[in-house]
Amino acid sequence: LDAQWHLGHVGQVAGVGARTLVVLAVIFLVAAVIKAGIGPFHAWLTGAIEAPGSTLGLIALSAMVPAAFLVARLYPLYLEAPHLLTAVALVGAAGAVAGAIFALAQRDLLRIGVFAAASQAGIILATLGMGGFSPAMFMLFTAGCLLVLYFLVVANLRRRFGSHDVADHGGGWRLMPRTTLALAGW
């Protein structure tokens, strides 16, 4: 469809113009934001924290990667829709800031990871909106690996300490040095 977006933008496809492309791009952007759990749509992702750690890592990964990949695949559409890349960057930046603020306010390690995942998805959308296709794809793949690592580390900490609360994990460096190193690396 890459060639068709441009033909629709210049008016060579009957019934398709710039307004139609903007509407399509907004619909796809809303679908990506809901799938990634950005902003007010994070509730479905935070409801999944009752799952085991490895499963939660895969759930968060399966939320972020397809959402960013959807926006990346439709990047030619966003290039043809006027001023929509600016909206993608603003939505992504707002989602990244909100996710980071919510993550800092949490005491539960799993909720921190969920909000960090939403914040990473926002950063990836903001990078795509600013025209950085290649950097956004690099961030998508690295964030995906680190996100799974984080949830596996949290599952290991929960198994050892019996809690997700940050306050209950004192002395982790002494008791679990490799796990703590993995968490510090994240």
Side-chain angles (χ1 to χ4, degrees), residues 11-108:
Q12 293 183 354
V13 176
V16 176
R19 190 175 302 151
T20 306
L21 294 177
V22 168
V23 169
L24 281 172
V26 166
I27 289 170
F28 287 124
L29 178 62
V30 168
V33 167
I34 291 171
K35 177 71 175 164
I38 295 176
F41 305 112
H42 70 276
W44 75 268
L45 197 53
T46 57
I49 65 170
E50 300 302 323
S54 56
T55 306
L56 184 58
L58 291 176
I59 288 171
L61 183 65
S62 68
M64 182 176 58
V65 172
F69 190 67
L70 173 65
V71 175
R73 282 288 289 151
L74 295 170
Y75 196 68
L77 170 63
Y78 289 108
L79 289 174
E80 294 294 333
H83 305 293
L84 203 61
L85 281 178
T86 305
V88 170
L90 290 174
V91 166
V97 169
I101 289 171
F102 288 139
L104 288 173
Q106 301 300 314
R107 298 193 48 84
D108 184 357

